[in-house]
Amino acid sequence: MAEITQHDIVIIGGGGAGLRAAIAVAETYPDLDVGMVSKVYPMRSHTVSAEGGAAGVIKPGDSLEDHIRDTISGSDWLADQDAVEAFVREAPRELTQLEHWGCPWSREPDGSVAVRPFGGMGIQRTWFAADKTGFHMLHTLFQTSLKYARITRYDEWFASRLLVEDGRCQGVVALELRTGEVRGILGKAVILCTGGFGRIFPFTTNAAIKTGDGLGLAYRAGVPLKDMEFVQYHPTGLPGTGILITEAARGEGGILVNKHGDRYLRHYDLGEPLDLGDPRHPLFRTMELGPRDRLSQAFVHEQELGNVFEAPDGAYVHLDIRHLGEKTIDQKIPFVRELAKNYVGIDPVHQPIPVRPVVHYMMGGIDTDLEAATSLPGLFAAGECACVSINGANRLGSNSLPELLVFGARAGRGAAEWAREHPESSRAALEQQADVEEARIRDFRGGDGGTERIASIRADLQAAMESGCGIYRTEATLRAAAESIAELRERFRSMRLDDHSLAFNTELTGALELDLMIEIAEALVHSALQREESRGSHQRLDFPTRDDERFLKHSLAYRTEGVPRIEHRDVVITRWPPAERVYGRAHEAGAAERGT
Ligand SMILES: Cc1cc2nc3c(=O)[nH]c(=O)nc-3n(C[C@H](O)[C@H](O)[C@H](O)COP(=O)(O)OP(=O)(O)OC[C@H]3O[C@@H](n4cnc5c(N)ncnc54)[C@H](O)[C@@H]3O)c2cc1C
């Protein structure tokens, strides 16, 4: 029988969102105790790898209004405007709070917080800590969380199922990776902070742990997944590994050129570039800082025109930062130099860096409201696994770090309130569910009757996703992907594990992850099939224009016994009516009026 432990609140995930939520609980109601479950040691969560920075209005000449408008326009009007407003208003406070907890934000010579330009942002507002922003943020949150004795950590425990009883989420079942023990970890409220799911694609900047488990758990418990069709490609990944070259490289003035040495973005509609010569000027913005979806699409066009370099690791173009000079590179983006040297063997001080589009961020996720609550009472979600939505059809770079702070804190406070108002219910029923899950995991581990290897099913799933719903999609490619996924689901039933051991059985966790990845992929493909328009990162060659009449709506994918059921919900529009997606010009005018 599975052992049972009880907490007031259980948080799944020890990344930025999970830690922020835990601190919010501890600060709001110090008497509540928190169990924090993470499949990796918290400092290994993907937040650690964020390089570029976190957006928040702080400088004279910038305004909340401008950040809101950039975010809405960047989202191609699919973001909920009330959510964006709440986010933009609370982001500076959260970033300042991190400063007070010890985050070493980079500084201007006068001692004020430095900001850098970022894609799709009409003005400089991205706070950074050199180019290891995520590392410093995560470290700050982690060390702050250590102050609170009532946060109990379950490091290297894998959550595999939500416990739902009396129509409420009341805990999880988790597997301890070190021992193979399966335990029911009960809580009056549960917060999912499990991060994104780039790993359902073959070529991604995302760490191997980003398999989307939390989405799968919520989906299986009946919660819809929202706007899953929107997959962000980042325009500058290193060929082969998919390692990210941060947008800060372009923010600092890096340019993209094709194999003819042509700065090809000038042939594409990316808004009015404004290159004032000095990247530190608050209005500096080049075409390289257009929105990520447009830059990635431009790459595909260049490829079709035969203007890119072809290589065994895939086609690429050049990101040139040589003109910035060694001093600036070492001071502002030292990690870019380190990565380029270590992973492609070139020194960007002297040579351009080969780059290509790479799957980077998922706009979609678990459907939540502004307080991070899901439709399942007692279940909350925040961070990349959630969709509030502030990102709509395309996230602006540097918005997701502040997002996880703002909504992580909201989730913590919301879950704390909920836990105080709702006593635990029948423990016997929860124990029984935990036993059922323990048996399922035992069966997975013991399973050697089948013939299918999880590694090959996973590779085939990733290949189906890339060819079916990459940067450009059509009904035919999406249908082909849907069929492949249905076959993979069948193949998964006859999977076989060679490793039957209890300790650190990575084949077993790989199987548990893959089981959920198949579901998530299916929700994504079917959401994409139903969206017969092109918007932001969702580009349908068979429906090339945005269709506000039919699709100014969120997609909601519900799990059924057959294919997912897709419903739609209106986008919340408050003060910014849908318009063509031009960014920058209006802001420049506004900024000029303000005399900056
Ligand atoms: C290379 C890279 C660079 C980026 N740069 C930037 C940037 O400069 N600016 C910006 O705004 N955004 C950036 N992003 C995006 C941003 O970093 C992420 O969206 C954000 O950090 C996600 O945080 P999170 O807390 O939601 O999830 P994560 O940090 O991914 O944490 C997820 C947590 O969930 C746990 N978990 C998952 N599944 C389970 C399970 N089954 N059981 C138990 N625990 C589980 C993991 O152990 C982990 O602790 C970048 C992303 C990448 C990949």
Side-chain angles (χ1 to χ4, degrees):
M1 282 212 340
E3 203 187 307
I4 300 288
T5 319
Q6 174 82 51
H7 293 281
D8 290 308
I9 290 164
V10 179
I11 298 175
I12 315 298
L19 287 165
R20 184 65 190 89
I23 295 168
V25 175
E27 287 196 319
T28 318
Y29 294 113
D31 56 313
L32 294 180
D33 78 280
V34 177
M36 199 170 85
V37 182
S38 176
K39 68 179 175 179
V40 296
Y41 190 71
M43 278 305 297
R44 295 187 61 213
S45 305
H46 189 74
T47 299
V48 81
S49 55
E51 300 164 26
V57 173
I58 184 179
K59 290 290 182 194
D62 197 3
S63 73
L64 297 175
E65 186 86 7
D66 282 345
H67 190 187
I68 293 169
R69 205 172 21 207
D70 281 342
T71 303
I72 291 171
S73 156
S75 81
D76 220 347
W77 271 268
L78 200 74
D80 282 338
Q81 299 186 356
D82 52 353
V84 175
E85 279 194 69
F87 158 70
V88 166
R89 277 181 213 296
E90 288 170 31
R93 197 194 318 151
E94 284 290 332
L95 295 172
T96 309
Q97 175 66 70
L98 272 199
E99 157 107 359
H100 296 166
W101 285 334
C103 188
W105 297 119
S106 291
R107 301 279 168 185
E108 300 289 1
D110 68 0
S112 64
V113 169
V115 287
R116 63 166 42 128
F118 237 69
M121 301 275 184
I123 196 165
Q124 296 183 26
R125 64 168 71 94
T126 297
W127 305 37
F128 58 97
D131 55 3
K132 290 201 170 127
T133 308
F135 167 82
H136 289 296
M137 285 179 60
L138 195 62
H139 206 274
T140 303
L141 290 166
F142 186 47
Q143 70 187 10
T144 304
S145 77
L146 297 177
K147 284 197 311 201
Y148 299 101
R150 290 180 73 78
I151 300 177
T152 304
R153 293 211 322 274
Y154 296 82
D155 293 344
E156 300 190 330
W157 284 71
F158 185 102
S160 65
R161 174 183 171 146
L162 296 178
L163 293 171
V164 181
E165 187 59 29
D166 294 335
R168 283 164 49 196
C169 185
Q170 302 196 51
V172 300
V173 181
L175 164 77
E176 187 181 26
L177 302 179
R178 190 170 57 84
T179 60
E181 180 200 333
V182 175
R183 194 184 290 187
I185 304 177
L186 310 190
K188 296 170 213 162
V190 174
I191 312 175
L192 291 169
C193 299
T194 51
F197 51 101
R199 283 279 159 172
I200 65 171
F201 284 83
F203 187 62
T204 173
T205 62
N206 284 194
I209 54 172
K210 295 194 73 175
T211 46
D213 312 352
L215 283 89
L217 300 186
Y219 189 52
R220 284 199 170 155
V223 178
L225 301 181
K226 185 158 78 191
D227 294 341
M228 292 294 283
E229 60 272 40
F230 298 102
V231 175
Q232 178 166 81
Y233 280 76
H234 194 294
T236 59
L238 293 181
T241 56
I243 288 173
L244 179 76
I245 295 299
T246 172
E247 191 158 300
R250 283 170 285 128
E252 296 298 340
I255 59 169
L256 287 166
V257 290
N258 65 19
K259 75 173 184 191
H260 307 297
D262 180 18
R263 199 173 166 190
Y264 60 91
L265 291 174
R266 65 199 170 93
H267 307 302
Y268 299 86
D269 178 19
L270 292 160
E272 292 282 288
L274 200 68
D275 183 346
L276 299 164
D278 179 1
R280 283 165 306 180
H281 191 286
L283 291 182
F284 174 89
R285 195 193 59 249
T286 67
M287 55 198 134
E288 275 77 9
L289 288 179
R292 291 177 178 176
D293 54 346
R294 298 235 173 126
L295 262 58
S296 298
Q297 289 150 20
F299 175 92
V300 176
H301 289 294
E302 288 298 297
Q303 190 172 13
E304 282 165 4
L305 294 169
N307 290 343
V308 302
F309 300 94
E310 293 292 345
D313 280 336
Y316 65 88
V317 288
H318 275 149
L319 172 63
D320 198 348
I321 57 172
R322 288 175 294 185
H323 53 287
L324 302 182
E326 187 165 9
K327 194 162 160 247
T328 303
I329 292 172
D330 284 347
Q331 200 187 351
K332 290 287 189 59
I333 41 176
F335 198 41
V336 167
R337 189 174 187 191
E338 200 179 313
L339 290 173
K341 277 183 173 172
N342 290 342
Y343 292 95
V344 283
I346 63 116
D347 183 350
V349 169
H350 305 295
Q351 292 157 282
I353 312 168
V355 290
R356 58 178 315 222
V358 55
V359 168
H360 182 53
Y361 182 88
M362 300 301 189
M363 271 67 77
I366 302 163
D367 176 34
T368 70
D369 66 15
L370 260 91
E371 307 311 323
T374 72
S375 57
L376 176 61
L379 182 67
F380 297 78
E384 192 173 339
C385 73
C387 181
V388 182
S389 103
I390 65 155
N391 300 308
N394 175 58
R395 170 188 74 115
L396 293 189
S398 77
N399 261 357
S400 62
L401 290 174
E403 175 184 0
L404 65 81
L405 295 174
V406 168
F407 291 99
R410 281 178 168 238
R413 292 191 292 264
E417 295 293 346
W418 173 273
R420 282 166 61 85
E421 287 160 16
H422 294 81
E424 36 181 298
S425 66
S426 149
R427 182 177 277 216
L430 297 170
E431 282 174 359
Q432 200 189 1
Q433 286 186 34
D435 289 342
V436 171
E437 179 62 4
E438 186 182 33
R440 186 181 79 105
I441 293 177
R442 202 182 316 123
D443 286 352
F444 259 48
R445 183 168 48 225
D448 59 0
T451 51
E452 290 285 351
R453 315 305 308 257
I454 58 162
S456 65
I457 302 177
R458 187 171 50 218
D460 290 349
L461 174 71
Q462 292 168 334
M465 295 305 285
E466 170 129 301
S467 61
C469 32
I471 295 177
Y472 286 101
R473 302 138 180 210
T474 65
E475 180 174 348
T477 67
L478 289 165
R479 288 216 182 279
E483 270 169 36
S484 305
I485 295 168
E487 283 163 22
L488 291 167
R489 186 191 279 283
E490 283 308 312
R491 282 173 56 192
F492 184 78
R493 283 188 226 283
S494 43
M495 60 119 180
R496 140 173 171 230
L497 300 193
D498 285 338
D499 186 353
H500 306 302
S501 63
L502 288 169
F504 290 111
N505 187 336
T506 49
E507 201 183 15
L508 171 64
T509 43
L512 292 169
E513 287 168 351
L514 182 58
D515 190 20
L516 298 168
M517 286 161 84
I518 293 172
E519 300 244 23
I520 301 168
E522 200 166 39
L524 193 160
V525 170
H526 285 274
S527 303
L529 255 174
Q530 302 268 326
R531 187 174 287 277
E532 295 178 333
E533 66 159 354
S534 289
R535 182 187 296 270
S537 63
H538 174 71
Q539 293 292 314
R540 291 274 304 248
L541 292 173
D542 43 356
F543 295 96
T545 51
R546 197 175 90 188
D547 182 351
D548 284 344
E549 197 80 2
R550 290 175 65 206
F551 289 108
L552 191 57
K553 291 179 178 9
H554 298 294
S555 307
L556 295 169
Y558 290 83
R559 187 171 189 272
T560 73
E561 286 310 310
V563 296
R565 184 178 82 249
I566 309 296
E567 294 183 5
H568 291 104
R569 182 198 294 153
D570 285 345
V571 172
V572 177
I573 305 284
T574 55
R575 288 193 286 134
W576 295 270
E580 210 192 321
R581 207 171 141 211
V582 286
Y583 77 101
R585 286 170 222 171
H587 310 218
E588 281 151 30
E593 268 165 34
R594 286 190 302 272
T596 57

